[in-house]
Every structure is written in C-alpha cells, then in structure tokens.
Amino acid sequence: MTEKDKTIEIRWHGRGGQGAVTSAELLALAAIEEGKFAQAFPSFGPERRGAPVLVFNRVSDVNPIRARVSVTNPDIVVILDPGLIYITDVTSGLKEGGVLIINTTKTLVDITSELNGPWKLAVVNATSIAREMLGVPIVNTTMLGALVKATGIIELESLTEPLKERFGARAKGNIDACRKAYEETEIAELSGIVEKPRKTFETETFPSWQELLPGCVVTEAGNAKQYRTGDWKSERPVLDHQKCIKCGICYLFCPEGCIGQNEDGYFEANLYYCKGCGICARECWTEAIKMVEEE
Amino acid sequence: MKRTGMEGSFAIAEAIKLARVEAVAAYPITPQTHIVERLAEFVANGELDAEYIPVESEHSAMSACLGTSAVGARTFTATASQGLELMHEVLYVASGLRLPIVMTVANRALSAPLSIWTDHSDAMATRDCGWIQIFAENAQQAFDLTLCAFRIAEDPIVLLPTMFHIDGFYVSHTIESVEFLEQEVVDKFLPEYRHPYPLDPDKPVTIGAFGPPFIYTEAKKAHEAALRSSKKVILRVWQEFSKLSGRHYSPVESYKAEDADVLLLCMGSFSETAMMAIDKMQAEGQKVGLIRLRLWRPFPTEELRQAVSKAQVLIILDRALSLGGTPPVCSEIQAALYPLKTRPKIVSFVGSLGGREISAQGFEEVIRHGVDKAKQGELDEFEIIGVRE
C-alpha cells in the first residue's frame, strides 16, 4: 500500500462543551474541500457539559471511507483538555510512529516524563491562546491549528472557508486562534517504551447476561453517588472567605447540588462532584467565588 | 362441577375475580369492553378487592399496569385492535422490565378501513414484543387459560407479561357453557404474587434505568432466554391444571391428526368450525387432520415439528396479512421447518379478515383447494381465499 492509499485515523479526546465535535467536523469539511475523502463522527451518549467525549476522523487522499465504527487504533490522538490524561487512557491503541497532540501548560519535557512512547508529541497552550483570541477557553479551533502543524494532514488555508461558514461574524477570532496555535505548537520525536500517567486506569468489567437481575433491576439504591462527576471539570470554584456573606445563593443555584454548608457556615462545593460549570461564581453577587483552572 | 351458561367476556371476568387480582387499569374498546365493565362492577359491589384505575387511553392503561405490577400487585388489563396498537410501545417496557401483567386481547382487525370485526391483525402486530402469547378458542379455554396465565407469568423464573388472545365476538360476546372452579381450588393453584424486587420505599430499587451499548445486548439476551425457557413452566402449569380440572392444554394441539396426510393449521375460535370439516372429511375416508397453535410465544418449534412429521401437505390459514411479505404464521412455520430434511409441502392461505366468516363447508373447500395446489406444485405464493375478483 502506498502512502496515498492510507487512511489516517484520528481520535479526539475532549469534554462536553469544548467543541471537539466541531473540530472534527471542520477538519473533515476542510479535507473534503481539498478533494480528499473524509469522515467525522462523535461517539453518541448521554454526555453533558464537562463529561469526557470522543470524536473520530478518517481522512484518505484517494479512497472513499467505508468504516462506520469507532477509531480504536488511531494514527493521531488530539487531547483538548490536559486533565483527561489522568482519567482516560488517551494513548490506548495509538500506533507506533503516530502523533499525540496535547493542549497543556506543561513543556515537552514535563509531559514526556508522564506520557512516553514511540510517538511524535506536539504540545500547545491552547487554553491560553483561546482565552486571548476568543475570550473563552473553548479550544476546538485552536487545536485544529496544532493538529495541522503536527501532521500536515490538510493545508491550514483549507480551514478558512469552513470556519467562516461555521462561525460567521466570529470566524476571524477563530481563524486567528487557529493560526497562532499553528505557530506556537512545539513538536518532539519521542522514543522508547510506552509510559502512562501514574494513575492506573480502572478496567471496567461488565456482567454477563446470566448475571443480570430480571428486568435489569438495580438493587443498590442511590449508587449514582459513586459517580465521580468531579472528573469532568476543567475549572474549580475557590471561595474568598473575606467576601463571602454566607448567603447561600451558590447553594441554591448549583445544578449539581454539590454545595453544602460547613461548620463555620461557609458554603463549599464538594469537588468530588463539582463539574466546574461556574454558575456559583456567576450568581455570587459579592464576587466571593472565583473559577480557577485545574492543574 | 355444574356447567354454567355465560358470555365469554364474563367467564374471563369470573377468572380474574377468582384469581384475586389486585389492580385493573383499562380503557373500554370493542369487543373487549364487557370484560372490564364486569370487573368494574365486581370492584364497585365489593366482590373483588382490587384497585380499578379508569384511564384516558390504552397507553395509560398499560403504563398504570407497569406501576401496579412493579409494586407487587397482581395486575390485569384487556384491550383489542387500535387499543393494543396504542399501548404498543409500553408492551415492550412491560416485558423488558419483566412485569407479570396478564392481558386479554379480544382480537379485532386494524383500521383502515375501520373494522370492529374479528381477525388476528392486532395479535400479529405484537408478536415481537417479548410477551408470552397464548390463543384460546372458546369461553372454557379463556377461563382456564386466564388462571394459568397468572401462574405462568408470576413464576420466579419466568416473570414475563402474558397476553392471551380470544376472537372478538366469537368468544367475547358468545354465550356458551363454562365449568368454573371453586375459590379454594383456585387459591391453592394460584398462590399470592410476590415480585422478587418490587418498588418499595423501605427497600428502594431502580427499575427502568437506561441501557448503554455495553449492557443492552446482554439485557435482550436475558429477556430472550427467559421467554424461551418459560415453555417448561407453561408445560408444568398446564399439566398441573389438567390434574385439577381434567382439561388438557398443550403448545400445539392436534385434532384427529394421527394418520393424516393432509393437515390444516389455524389459530383461534374458527379452529372449532374447522373441526367439523375434519369430522366430515374423515367420515368420507379422507386422511385429513387439524393442528392448532395454542402457544404463539415462545414459539413451540419442537412440538410443531413433531406434530407435522408424518404429513405430506400442511395447509396454513393465517387470519392476518404481513402486507408486502409472507403471512405471519406461515413465515414462522416455514422458518421452523426449513432446517428439516423431510417436511410437508406448505400451502399458505390468508382468510377470514375483518370479520368475514368461514363455514364448516368453507373449511372443506379450503382443504380441498390446498391439496390441489400442493399437487400442482403452486407453492410459491400465498392466496387470499374468498376474495372477490
């Protein structure tokens, strides 16, 4: 098989609301615009804002795309949120010689100590670029710039029309963010054995059909509390005790119901469940709550 | 016990009363109405200690039944035709949640054109909904099989809703003789219903949670396995009932079929009219017999294969169409017999749609015509009998 015959497979890791689906759509549209064959599709589910999501692309220079199945052995992995590398096995199935692209504040060296393998690694501080160029930490278009720089899968210019079509009046900021990320992305060739972050990922085991109770009844009441929705956040609320008047408005507005009153009367979010939506900070009229980016 | 003259619908209501049903949620629809009207009377006059929930539609009727069955109340409803279609989506919920609701369907054609008259279109439209489905031919069978339905449905290894079909009007509105059972006998046969995981505020459980791709297939496999293995419970319950009543039921019932070369297969009340044709033709020395499917789900593949093993010709009368496809009963039988090395020639007829009758003489003609078609080898398409050209 020649290089041209190959289908490049991409897996995007993002969080609900970060625009990973849009990234993959724009990439496919740009590739098709160039005369290539391309596909973009999300893994459908009940995900909400902040929940880890997967999106997939396939791009081929000459062949129509037939596979209608998730990408499990990607050539390229793009990670929109740095926190995901600790809760998801982001390099799972990544091919030898593949490309790993991460939005992170960390340097190449720091990342390599956590996430090594026989890959090309690209890093960019996309959150900072997006804040600067767009005013919001939505990194989808920014990460497209990093992807193009690290892989050359399409021409950067090919994104202009799809971006205009998609964002209308807001297209310029997105085009600028994309270009800035293209310029700032740093790339290194890694080598050696695969290393994953310290966290050992829980391998989920599912019951056989014979183990299910009649009608799939769940006998453990309230087991939703085991669900660590705190893993979904990219920002966390920090309370300034000087400004807080203990009014409890944050408690009333928290959609997750994860804010409780402590012994001293302050209302605090339980970070095991807090999804980092920022509604408490927005509603706090003494501005005692600030949203701070997760490490 | 003494035989009593009674309308089929009322005989079913008697069975429901004897079964000490605790909840009824129903919406009246012809030709089922008499059953639930009589039950409403029983509840109103104190003869039946049950919650009767009048609802605004059949969709609500089945939805209410989900709730009453899930809290552990023995639950009954009845419907027909458009009403069964309206509750269609909830049928799948009832079986998927493994709630042993019992329902009578007084079979009736589906609109359009609007028809209140009998055929099996409504039954066939629900064949894949995961319920146990049984056909009764007369008021006595309806009475007996109603009692058996609760025992089967509520068996801890079954826990599946059970639908039994009677022909609208020809059973529901026909007065005939029925032999009842004493309350003490029924009480012994039908112990109190206990769902193993009921909805109970003191011991909360979740039922009806969503099933993502990683669990849905397993859930369906478990449902399929439960429905298939319900057959051994059905056989056991019918056997026990026969000791009690002297009346025998089996998944596939043969009538004078031992030495028959030609078999007619049908379902529902018209099977009894067909028996008259069989009697007459046998008296004339013809080797014809009758097979009736009593159990429709789980499909009794082994029993069917056994019942037709010696026949040369099998004539199947469907009372419903699968528009644009093969008639439903015929296609199932063809599928069941296809893997066999030797099998009878199958002639497929559709008849008796929307209340059109077939007389005993009509059945004779059906059999003769079927035999002719088999001789001519005209087996590749079904034929609607009695249609004006």
Side-chain angles (χ1 to χ4, degrees):
Chain A
M1 196 162 64
T2 66
E3 203 58 27
K4 264 193 147 1
D5 280 328
K6 265 173 114 180
T7 297
I8 305 296
E9 297 185 299
I10 305 175
R11 187 174 66 215
W12 297 78
H13 291 267
R15 292 181 183 279
Q18 285 183 330
V21 174
T22 307
S23 303
E25 284 175 11
L26 290 167
L27 176 68
L29 292 172
I32 292 166
E33 200 63 31
E34 288 182 3
K36 294 175 175 162
F37 292 96
Q39 175 192 62
F41 75 99
S43 70
F44 295 97
E47 289 90 353
R48 289 167 289 176
R49 181 164 286 266
V53 296
L54 292 176
V55 195
F56 311 104
N57 277 125
R58 289 189 174 88
V59 179
S60 169
D61 286 348
V62 291
N63 294 320
I65 313 289
R66 295 211 174 99
R68 288 180 195 277
V69 59
S70 304
V71 170
T72 49
N73 283 101
D75 300 276
I76 301 165
V77 169
V78 190
I79 300 159
L80 267 55
D81 188 293
L84 290 170
I85 66 173
Y86 303 107
I87 59 168
T88 310
D89 190 357
V90 289
T91 57
S92 164
L94 178 59
K95 283 182 192 147
E96 207 177 312
V99 186
L100 180 61
I101 303 157
I102 308 179
N103 165 26
T104 177
T105 54
K106 291 183 181 166
T107 62
L108 277 172
V109 177
D110 287 343
I111 281 285
T112 316
S113 66
E114 293 190 297
L115 207 60
N116 205 356
W119 310 304
K120 188 199 264 189
L121 175 68
V123 296
V124 65
N125 189 345
T127 308
S128 142
I129 295 173
R131 277 192 196 283
E132 183 191 335
M133 315 297 287
L134 304 167
V136 285
I138 298 176
V139 298
N140 53 356
T141 49
T142 316
M143 287 305 283
L144 273 172
L147 169 71
V148 174
K149 173 75 167 288
T151 64
I153 191 164
I154 53 164
E155 298 295 327
L156 192 62
E157 298 311 319
S158 306
L159 282 166
T160 309
E161 278 312 308
L163 280 167
K164 278 186 184 163
E165 181 92 1
R166 178 68 186 236
F167 291 106
R170 290 177 292 125
K172 189 175 180 307
N174 280 288
I175 293 168
D176 291 347
C178 185
R179 190 171 296 279
K180 192 165 165 65
Y182 181 87
E183 284 155 11
E184 291 186 5
T185 299
E186 291 177 46
I187 299 166
E189 296 282 347
L190 306 186
S191 60
I193 52 157
V194 175
E195 258 177 64
K196 304 199 183 218
R198 290 174 306 279
K199 173 169 170 139
T200 41
F201 303 106
E202 288 159 26
T203 41
E204 286 179 289
T205 52
F206 299 118
S208 93
W209 67 269
Q210 283 153 314
E211 291 167 307
L212 296 177
L213 294 175
C216 293
V217 64
V218 181
T219 52
E220 192 184 356
N223 65 354
K225 69 171 178 242
Q226 295 163 16
Y227 198 18
R228 188 180 187 134
T229 48
D231 276 349
W232 297 10
K233 64 179 170 293
S234 51
E235 293 184 319
R236 73 192 137 86
V238 176
L239 182 67
D240 181 347
H241 288 193
Q242 302 297 319
K243 289 186 182 169
C244 177
I245 57 165
K246 304 176 182 175
C247 68
I249 201 86
C250 53
Y251 160 80
L252 288 176
F253 273 90
C254 174
E256 190 57 25
C258 73
I259 295 178
Q261 201 167 15
N262 66 17
E263 284 172 358
D264 303 324
Y266 291 110
F267 289 88
E268 278 182 331
N270 182 338
L271 297 179
Y272 189 91
Y273 301 114
C274 170
K275 297 170 182 166
C277 68
I279 288 174
C280 54
R282 192 178 170 117
E283 295 299 332
C284 178
W285 54 288
T286 64
E287 297 180 344
I289 302 172
K290 287 258 170 318
M291 298 305 289
V292 176
E293 250 165 67
E294 285 279 78
E295 299 288 304
Chain B
M1 208 178 169
K2 186 180 166 292
R3 284 205 295 273
T4 312
M6 192 176 277
E7 186 184 291
S9 291
F10 297 158
I12 292 166
E14 284 297 323
I16 298 306
K17 186 174 78 175
L18 286 164
R20 299 186 190 277
V21 159
E22 294 163 291
V24 178
Y27 189 82
I29 182 169
T30 302
Q32 159 281 130
T33 309
H34 288 186
I35 304 171
V36 294
E37 273 180 357
R38 180 53 65 97
L39 287 174
E41 279 170 25
F42 285 157
V43 173
N45 68 21
E47 281 183 70
L48 175 62
D49 182 17
E51 198 67 44
Y52 188 97
I53 310 170
V55 283
E56 77 280 19
S57 76
E58 286 83 358
H59 191 280
S60 302
M62 186 47 65
S63 300
C65 288
L66 295 183
T68 57
S69 187
V71 298
R74 180 169 287 159
T75 298
F76 176 80
T77 187
T79 192
S81 184
Q82 308 304 126
L84 186 60
E85 288 301 291
L86 185 53
M87 61 170 65
H88 193 81
E89 63 157 334
V90 197
L91 297 177
Y92 283 75
V93 183
S95 61
L97 295 179
R98 307 278 300 277
L99 298 171
I101 299 158
V102 171
M103 172 161 70
T104 306
V105 179
N107 295 130
R108 166 185 149 184
L110 294 174
S111 294
L114 174 64
S115 167
I116 59 159
W117 296 276
T118 308
D119 72 21
H120 291 169
S121 306
D122 55 358
M124 293 304 149
T126 63
R127 69 176 178 172
D128 300 332
C129 69
W131 286 50
I132 293 170
Q133 299 202 38
I134 294 163
F135 275 77
E137 292 148 21
N138 55 41
Q140 184 68 61
Q141 291 178 3
F143 174 83
D144 293 349
L145 294 169
T146 302
L147 293 174
C148 293
F150 288 104
R151 257 297 289 279
I152 295 161
E154 294 166 5
D155 189 287
I157 75 153
V158 176
L159 287 174
L160 282 168
T162 300
M163 198 183 296
F164 72 91
H165 299 278
I166 56 163
D167 283 343
F169 300 112
Y170 293 95
V171 177
S172 66
H173 287 57
T174 300
I175 292 174
E176 51 190 306
S177 60
V178 190
E179 217 174 288
F180 295 118
L181 293 176
E182 299 286 355
Q183 184 69 63
E184 308 86 79
V185 178
V186 175
D187 285 346
K188 234 182 238 169
F189 176 68
L190 203 51
E192 208 179 327
Y193 160 48
R194 293 245 181 270
H195 195 282
Y197 307 102
L199 284 180
D200 177 355
D202 294 330
K203 211 178 155 197
V205 296
T206 300
I207 68 167
F210 81 130
F214 66 77
I215 204 76
Y216 189 85
T217 306
E218 283 69 24
K220 287 294 118 182
K221 167 77 183 176
H223 185 171
E224 169 68 12
L227 186 51
R228 279 181 188 273
S229 64
S230 71
K231 197 171 79 181
K232 53 180 184 286
V233 176
I234 294 169
L235 292 172
R236 197 181 69 220
V237 170
W238 282 349
Q239 201 166 23
E240 205 179 305
F241 187 82
S242 109
K243 282 182 199 146
L244 212 72
S245 65
R247 293 184 289 273
H248 312 284
Y249 297 104
S250 22
V252 177
E253 293 185 11
S254 298
Y255 180 74
K256 298 190 173 175
E258 297 77 31
D259 302 314
D261 295 331
V262 176
L263 290 175
L264 172 68
L265 185 145
C266 44
M267 292 158 86
S269 65
F270 283 16
S271 314
E272 298 201 325
T273 318
M275 286 175 188
M276 296 166 67
I278 299 293
D279 289 347
K280 179 156 176 278
M281 292 174 88
Q282 282 210 0
E284 291 163 4
Q286 300 185 55
K287 291 187 158 185
V288 296
L290 180 72
I291 302 279
R292 298 110 77 205
L293 284 190
R294 165 123 7 264
L295 187 60
W296 175 232
R297 283 292 184 276
F299 190 81
T301 304
E302 292 152 45
E303 290 85 349
L304 175 82
R305 286 175 178 171
Q306 183 62 34
V308 303
S309 61
K310 290 184 210 148
Q312 308 292 315
V313 178
L314 177 61
I315 301 163
I316 299 164
L317 176 68
D318 261 280
R319 294 178 68 189
L321 282 161
S322 168
L323 294 153
T326 305
V329 178
C330 179
S331 72
E332 301 251 348
I333 289 171
Q334 284 176 328
L337 301 185
Y338 185 78
L340 302 183
K341 278 204 187 87
T342 56
R343 53 178 184 263
K345 287 179 180 170
I346 292 175
V347 183
S348 173
F349 290 128
V350 171
S352 188
L353 297 179
R356 187 162 305 179
E357 296 185 336
I358 306 177
S359 64
Q361 196 192 339
F363 273 108
E364 273 187 64
E365 282 160 22
V366 165
I367 295 169
R368 271 199 288 272
H369 185 39
V371 171
D372 281 348
K373 286 189 80 157
K375 272 189 195 147
Q376 307 294 329
E378 294 168 10
L379 304 171
D380 48 348
E381 272 184 40
F382 75 91
E383 181 181 334
I384 302 181
I385 52 162
V387 69
R388 285 187 301 280
E389 294 295 341

PDB file of all heavy atoms in Angstrom, chain A residues 60-81:
ATOM      1  N   SER A  60      -8.615  10.220   3.833  1.00  0.00           N
ATOM      2  CA  SER A  60      -7.843   9.485   2.841  1.00  0.00           C
ATOM      3  C   SER A  60      -7.692  10.354   1.600  1.00  0.00           C
ATOM      4  O   SER A  60      -8.624  11.055   1.204  1.00  0.00           O
ATOM      5  CB  SER A  60      -8.551   8.171   2.476  1.00  0.00           C
ATOM      6  OG  SER A  60      -7.921   7.604   1.340  1.00  0.00           O
ATOM      7  N   ASP A  61      -6.507  10.300   1.000  1.00  0.00           N
ATOM      8  CA  ASP A  61      -6.279  11.090  -0.223  1.00  0.00           C
ATOM      9  C   ASP A  61      -7.110  10.561  -1.378  1.00  0.00           C
ATOM     10  O   ASP A  61      -7.619  11.326  -2.179  1.00  0.00           O
ATOM     11  CB  ASP A  61      -4.792  11.041  -0.614  1.00  0.00           C
ATOM     12  CG  ASP A  61      -3.941  11.910   0.316  1.00  0.00           C
ATOM     13  OD1 ASP A  61      -4.552  12.698   1.068  1.00  0.00           O
ATOM     14  OD2 ASP A  61      -2.704  11.794   0.280  1.00  0.00           O
ATOM     15  N   VAL A  62      -7.224   9.239  -1.468  1.00  0.00           N
ATOM     16  CA  VAL A  62      -7.797   8.672  -2.702  1.00  0.00           C
ATOM     17  C   VAL A  62      -8.973   7.718  -2.493  1.00  0.00           C
ATOM     18  O   VAL A  62      -9.701   7.448  -3.453  1.00  0.00           O
ATOM     19  CB  VAL A  62      -6.706   7.925  -3.517  1.00  0.00           C
ATOM     20  CG1 VAL A  62      -5.714   8.918  -4.092  1.00  0.00           C
ATOM     21  CG2 VAL A  62      -5.991   6.892  -2.672  1.00  0.00           C
ATOM     22  N   ASN A  63      -9.158   7.208  -1.289  1.00  0.00           N
ATOM     23  CA  ASN A  63     -10.182   6.172  -1.118  1.00  0.00           C
ATOM     24  C   ASN A  63     -11.411   6.658  -0.350  1.00  0.00           C
ATOM     25  O   ASN A  63     -11.270   7.322   0.676  1.00  0.00           O
ATOM     26  CB  ASN A  63      -9.598   4.974  -0.359  1.00  0.00           C
ATOM     27  CG  ASN A  63      -8.524   4.258  -1.150  1.00  0.00           C
ATOM     28  OD1 ASN A  63      -8.659   4.096  -2.365  1.00  0.00           O
ATOM     29  ND2 ASN A  63      -7.446   3.880  -0.492  1.00  0.00           N
ATOM     30  N   PRO A  64     -12.598   6.304  -0.809  1.00  0.00           N
ATOM     31  CA  PRO A  64     -13.799   6.611  -0.017  1.00  0.00           C
ATOM     32  C   PRO A  64     -13.700   5.912   1.340  1.00  0.00           C
ATOM     33  O   PRO A  64     -13.117   4.834   1.449  1.00  0.00           O
ATOM     34  CB  PRO A  64     -14.948   6.004  -0.832  1.00  0.00           C
ATOM     35  CG  PRO A  64     -14.400   5.794  -2.191  1.00  0.00           C
ATOM     36  CD  PRO A  64     -12.922   5.571  -2.042  1.00  0.00           C
ATOM     37  N   ILE A  65     -14.269   6.537   2.363  1.00  0.00           N
ATOM     38  CA  ILE A  65     -14.201   5.971   3.709  1.00  0.00           C
ATOM     39  C   ILE A  65     -15.395   5.047   3.911  1.00  0.00           C
ATOM     40  O   ILE A  65     -16.538   5.461   3.750  1.00  0.00           O
ATOM     41  CB  ILE A  65     -14.258   7.080   4.788  1.00  0.00           C
ATOM     42  CG1 ILE A  65     -13.298   8.214   4.460  1.00  0.00           C
ATOM     43  CG2 ILE A  65     -14.023   6.496   6.180  1.00  0.00           C
ATOM     44  CD1 ILE A  65     -11.846   7.918   4.604  1.00  0.00           C
ATOM     45  N   ARG A  66     -15.134   3.815   4.253  1.00  0.00           N
ATOM     46  CA  ARG A  66     -16.241   2.869   4.446  1.00  0.00           C
ATOM     47  C   ARG A  66     -16.493   2.555   5.916  1.00  0.00           C
ATOM     48  O   ARG A  66     -17.608   2.226   6.290  1.00  0.00           O
ATOM     49  CB  ARG A  66     -15.940   1.565   3.714  1.00  0.00           C
ATOM     50  CG  ARG A  66     -15.886   1.735   2.205  1.00  0.00           C
ATOM     51  CD  ARG A  66     -16.351   0.464   1.521  1.00  0.00           C
ATOM     52  NE  ARG A  66     -16.438   0.651   0.080  1.00  0.00           N
ATOM     53  CZ  ARG A  66     -15.504   0.270  -0.781  1.00  0.00           C
ATOM     54  NH1 ARG A  66     -14.420  -0.327  -0.345  1.00  0.00           N
ATOM     55  NH2 ARG A  66     -15.663   0.480  -2.067  1.00  0.00           N
ATOM     56  N   ALA A  67     -15.449   2.608   6.737  1.00  0.00           N
ATOM     57  CA  ALA A  67     -15.593   2.165   8.134  1.00  0.00           C
ATOM     58  C   ALA A  67     -16.579   3.053   8.875  1.00  0.00           C
ATOM     59  O   ALA A  67     -16.423   4.274   8.912  1.00  0.00           O
ATOM     60  CB  ALA A  67     -14.233   2.214   8.825  1.00  0.00           C
ATOM     61  N   ARG A  68     -17.623   2.447   9.425  1.00  0.00           N
ATOM     62  CA  ARG A  68     -18.552   3.182  10.304  1.00  0.00           C
ATOM     63  C   ARG A  68     -18.453   2.574  11.691  1.00  0.00           C
ATOM     64  O   ARG A  68     -19.323   1.856  12.146  1.00  0.00           O
ATOM     65  CB  ARG A  68     -19.980   3.077   9.757  1.00  0.00           C
ATOM     66  CG  ARG A  68     -20.146   3.893   8.515  1.00  0.00           C
ATOM     67  CD  ARG A  68     -21.520   3.838   7.922  1.00  0.00           C
ATOM     68  NE  ARG A  68     -21.462   4.349   6.576  1.00  0.00           N
ATOM     69  CZ  ARG A  68     -21.505   5.650   6.283  1.00  0.00           C
ATOM     70  NH1 ARG A  68     -21.628   6.539   7.235  1.00  0.00           N
ATOM     71  NH2 ARG A  68     -21.426   6.031   5.028  1.00  0.00           N
ATOM     72  N   VAL A  69     -17.322   2.820  12.296  1.00  0.00           N
ATOM     73  CA  VAL A  69     -17.009   2.226  13.585  1.00  0.00           C
ATOM     74  C   VAL A  69     -15.985   3.132  14.271  1.00  0.00           C
ATOM     75  O   VAL A  69     -15.244   3.847  13.589  1.00  0.00           O
ATOM     76  CB  VAL A  69     -16.496   0.778  13.377  1.00  0.00           C
ATOM     77  CG1 VAL A  69     -15.254   0.751  12.484  1.00  0.00           C
ATOM     78  CG2 VAL A  69     -16.226   0.065  14.676  1.00  0.00           C
ATOM     79  N   SER A  70     -15.993   3.122  15.593  1.00  0.00           N
ATOM     80  CA  SER A  70     -15.077   3.982  16.345  1.00  0.00           C
ATOM     81  C   SER A  70     -13.626   3.714  15.965  1.00  0.00           C
ATOM     82  O   SER A  70     -13.269   2.606  15.570  1.00  0.00           O
ATOM     83  CB  SER A  70     -15.228   3.723  17.845  1.00  0.00           C
ATOM     84  OG  SER A  70     -16.556   3.910  18.233  1.00  0.00           O
ATOM     85  N   VAL A  71     -12.780   4.723  16.125  1.00  0.00           N
ATOM     86  CA  VAL A  71     -11.346   4.564  15.885  1.00  0.00           C
ATOM     87  C   VAL A  71     -10.706   4.027  17.163  1.00  0.00           C
ATOM     88  O   VAL A  71     -10.750   4.683  18.199  1.00  0.00           O
ATOM     89  CB  VAL A  71     -10.717   5.913  15.485  1.00  0.00           C
ATOM     90  CG1 VAL A  71      -9.198   5.809  15.463  1.00  0.00           C
ATOM     91  CG2 VAL A  71     -11.249   6.368  14.135  1.00  0.00           C
ATOM     92  N   THR A  72     -10.157   2.814  17.086  1.00  0.00           N
ATOM     93  CA  THR A  72      -9.513   2.248  18.275  1.00  0.00           C
ATOM     94  C   THR A  72      -7.993   2.176  18.113  1.00  0.00           C
ATOM     95  O   THR A  72      -7.280   2.007  19.094  1.00  0.00           O
ATOM     96  CB  THR A  72     -10.053   0.837  18.583  1.00  0.00           C
ATOM     97  OG1 THR A  72     -10.032   0.071  17.378  1.00  0.00           O
ATOM     98  CG2 THR A  72     -11.475   0.895  19.104  1.00  0.00           C
ATOM     99  N   ASN A  73      -7.507   2.249  16.865  1.00  0.00           N
ATOM    100  CA  ASN A  73      -6.056   2.272  16.635  1.00  0.00           C
ATOM    101  C   ASN A  73      -5.684   3.525  15.850  1.00  0.00           C
ATOM    102  O   ASN A  73      -5.356   3.463  14.667  1.00  0.00           O
ATOM    103  CB  ASN A  73      -5.609   1.025  15.857  1.00  0.00           C
ATOM    104  CG  ASN A  73      -5.550  -0.181  16.748  1.00  0.00           C
ATOM    105  OD1 ASN A  73      -6.458  -0.994  16.736  1.00  0.00           O
ATOM    106  ND2 ASN A  73      -4.515  -0.258  17.553  1.00  0.00           N
ATOM    107  N   PRO A  74      -5.723   4.664  16.531  1.00  0.00           N
ATOM    108  CA  PRO A  74      -5.538   5.915  15.802  1.00  0.00           C
ATOM    109  C   PRO A  74      -4.101   6.135  15.328  1.00  0.00           C
ATOM    110  O   PRO A  74      -3.155   5.626  15.938  1.00  0.00           O
ATOM    111  CB  PRO A  74      -5.945   6.975  16.829  1.00  0.00           C
ATOM    112  CG  PRO A  74      -5.753   6.336  18.146  1.00  0.00           C
ATOM    113  CD  PRO A  74      -5.996   4.868  17.954  1.00  0.00           C
ATOM    114  N   ASP A  75      -3.991   6.903  14.236  1.00  0.00           N
ATOM    115  CA  ASP A  75      -2.682   7.411  13.816  1.00  0.00           C
ATOM    116  C   ASP A  75      -2.375   8.687  14.582  1.00  0.00           C
ATOM    117  O   ASP A  75      -1.224   9.032  14.791  1.00  0.00           O
ATOM    118  CB  ASP A  75      -2.693   7.728  12.312  1.00  0.00           C
ATOM    119  CG  ASP A  75      -3.008   6.499  11.483  1.00  0.00           C
ATOM    120  OD1 ASP A  75      -2.081   5.732  11.199  1.00  0.00           O
ATOM    121  OD2 ASP A  75      -4.196   6.290  11.153  1.00  0.00           O
ATOM    122  N   ILE A  76      -3.460   9.391  14.945  1.00  0.00           N
ATOM    123  CA  ILE A  76      -3.314  10.687  15.609  1.00  0.00           C
ATOM    124  C   ILE A  76      -4.294  10.761  16.778  1.00  0.00           C
ATOM    125  O   ILE A  76      -5.455  10.366  16.632  1.00  0.00           O
ATOM    126  CB  ILE A  76      -3.630  11.836  14.615  1.00  0.00           C
ATOM    127  CG1 ILE A  76      -2.680  11.784  13.402  1.00  0.00           C
ATOM    128  CG2 ILE A  76      -3.580  13.194  15.306  1.00  0.00           C
ATOM    129  CD1 ILE A  76      -3.149  12.625  12.219  1.00  0.00           C
ATOM    130  N   VAL A  77      -3.805  11.237  17.929  1.00  0.00           N
ATOM    131  CA  VAL A  77      -4.696  11.495  19.060  1.00  0.00           C
ATOM    132  C   VAL A  77      -4.586  12.974  19.416  1.00  0.00           C
ATOM    133  O   VAL A  77      -3.475  13.496  19.533  1.00  0.00           O
ATOM    134  CB  VAL A  77      -4.317  10.631  20.289  1.00  0.00           C
ATOM    135  CG1 VAL A  77      -5.065  11.101  21.533  1.00  0.00           C
ATOM    136  CG2 VAL A  77      -4.620   9.160  20.021  1.00  0.00           C
ATOM    137  N   VAL A  78      -5.721  13.638  19.529  1.00  0.00           N
ATOM    138  CA  VAL A  78      -5.719  15.058  19.921  1.00  0.00           C
ATOM    139  C   VAL A  78      -6.436  15.172  21.260  1.00  0.00           C
ATOM    140  O   VAL A  78      -7.554  14.667  21.410  1.00  0.00           O
ATOM    141  CB  VAL A  78      -6.438  15.937  18.874  1.00  0.00           C
ATOM    142  CG1 VAL A  78      -6.195  17.411  19.176  1.00  0.00           C
ATOM    143  CG2 VAL A  78      -5.990  15.589  17.464  1.00  0.00           C
ATOM    144  N   ILE A  79      -5.791  15.827  22.230  1.00  0.00           N
ATOM    145  CA  ILE A  79      -6.367  15.944  23.572  1.00  0.00           C
ATOM    146  C   ILE A  79      -6.651  17.411  23.857  1.00  0.00           C
ATOM    147  O   ILE A  79      -5.739  18.231  23.946  1.00  0.00           O
ATOM    148  CB  ILE A  79      -5.406  15.343  24.619  1.00  0.00           C
ATOM    149  CG1 ILE A  79      -5.175  13.867  24.291  1.00  0.00           C
ATOM    150  CG2 ILE A  79      -5.976  15.496  26.016  1.00  0.00           C
ATOM    151  CD1 ILE A  79      -3.919  13.312  24.895  1.00  0.00           C
ATOM    152  N   LEU A  80      -7.931  17.742  23.992  1.00  0.00           N
ATOM    153  CA  LEU A  80      -8.342  19.135  24.169  1.00  0.00           C
ATOM    154  C   LEU A  80      -8.221  19.604  25.608  1.00  0.00           C
ATOM    155  O   LEU A  80      -8.212  20.792  25.866  1.00  0.00           O
ATOM    156  CB  LEU A  80      -9.793  19.303  23.704  1.00  0.00           C
ATOM    157  CG  LEU A  80      -9.998  19.730  22.238  1.00  0.00           C
ATOM    158  CD1 LEU A  80      -9.293  18.788  21.296  1.00  0.00           C
ATOM    159  CD2 LEU A  80     -11.468  19.856  21.904  1.00  0.00           C
ATOM    160  N   ASP A  81      -8.196  18.659  26.530  1.00  0.00           N
ATOM    161  CA  ASP A  81      -8.183  19.040  27.946  1.00  0.00           C
ATOM    162  C   ASP A  81      -7.087  18.258  28.657  1.00  0.00           C
ATOM    163  O   ASP A  81      -7.110  17.023  28.668  1.00  0.00           O
ATOM    164  CB  ASP A  81      -9.544  18.723  28.569  1.00  0.00           C
ATOM    165  CG  ASP A  81      -9.653  19.267  29.981  1.00  0.00           C
ATOM    166  OD1 ASP A  81      -8.929  18.770  30.865  1.00  0.00           O
ATOM    167  OD2 ASP A  81     -10.446  20.192  30.176  1.00  0.00           O
TER     168      ASP A  81
END
